[in-house]
Amino acid sequence: IFHYEQLLLYRLTSFGQRSEKRLWNPKQPIKLMLDALIAVITGGEKVLLIQRAPGIRGGGYWAPVGGEVEPGESQEAAVAREAMEELGLTVRAVRKVWENVSTRGTFRLHRWMAEYVRGELSLNQAEVSAARWLTVDEISAWRARSKATANFI
């Protein structure tokens, strides 16, 4: 989604004088902001974390399932698609819990809670190196044991 406000000229009226302010600078590239999601998948009392495969964005890091929302796709459908593509699992998007813009401003991140419905883990090795079902306490202990918590997204 383009920031259309950067492409439009708008008029400001101040004390009867009309001026134009250009929000888009033709010498700077237009920033494209993509929609992406992070799906925290739960199964009973456990949460599914994946280790991203080497060679992709975030390679080697442990994180919830995530990916880009395709054009025309609903966020709920993207949650289900990403889980199926990366893990071979059927999940149900439960609710959106948060939204923010990524640090670099390239993604609008949508965070979702999802629940496991069925399927056996079948990792897409191009995207996922490993996957683990962990309780919240196990995740906390795992992070505490790790000297470098930078391996978690």
Side-chain angles (χ1 to χ4, degrees):
I1 299 173
F2 286 96
H3 286 286
Y4 291 107
E5 65 271 12
Q6 292 178 345
L7 303 176
L8 300 175
L9 295 176
Y10 75 99
R11 300 188 192 288
L12 296 174
T13 305
S14 174
F15 299 104
Q17 292 190 350
R18 210 162 75 179
S19 64
E20 289 186 349
K21 181 178 179 184
R22 185 181 298 259
L23 294 176
W24 170 64
N25 181 344
K27 294 181 181 181
Q28 292 180 345
I30 297 170
K31 255 189 169 174
L32 177 66
M33 186 171 302
L34 301 171
D35 285 306
L37 62 88
I38 296 167
V40 177
I41 300 170
T42 60
E45 297 295 316
K46 295 195 174 190
V47 175
L48 183 60
L49 291 181
I50 63 167
Q51 184 178 36
R52 300 202 181 280
I56 66 166
R57 184 178 29 238
Y61 286 86
W62 285 89
V65 172
E68 293 180 19
V69 179
E70 294 179 355
E73 182 179 40
S74 72
Q75 292 174 28
E76 294 90 340
V79 168
R81 178 185 50 77
E82 287 292 340
M84 182 55 71
E85 286 179 0
E86 293 183 6
L87 303 165
L89 299 179
T90 301
V91 304
R92 181 179 70 84
V94 176
R95 72 182 174 282
K96 185 175 177 175
V97 293
W98 194 35
E99 177 180 319
N100 72 302
V101 174
S102 65
T103 308
R104 288 184 280 175
T106 53
F107 291 100
R108 183 176 301 107
L109 299 172
H110 307 276
R111 286 167 173 79
W112 280 81
M113 295 300 298
E115 63 184 12
Y116 166 79
V117 175
R118 70 179 156 274
E120 295 292 323
L121 279 173
S122 175
L123 307 183
N124 175 347
Q125 294 294 318
E127 296 190 42
V128 179
S129 296
R132 293 186 186 171
W133 286 100
L134 300 166
T135 65
V136 173
D137 290 340
E138 289 170 330
I139 293 168
S140 297
W142 191 18
R143 289 186 70 164
R145 283 191 309 269
S146 174
K147 299 222 191 259
T149 57
N151 62 345
F152 285 89
I153 293 180

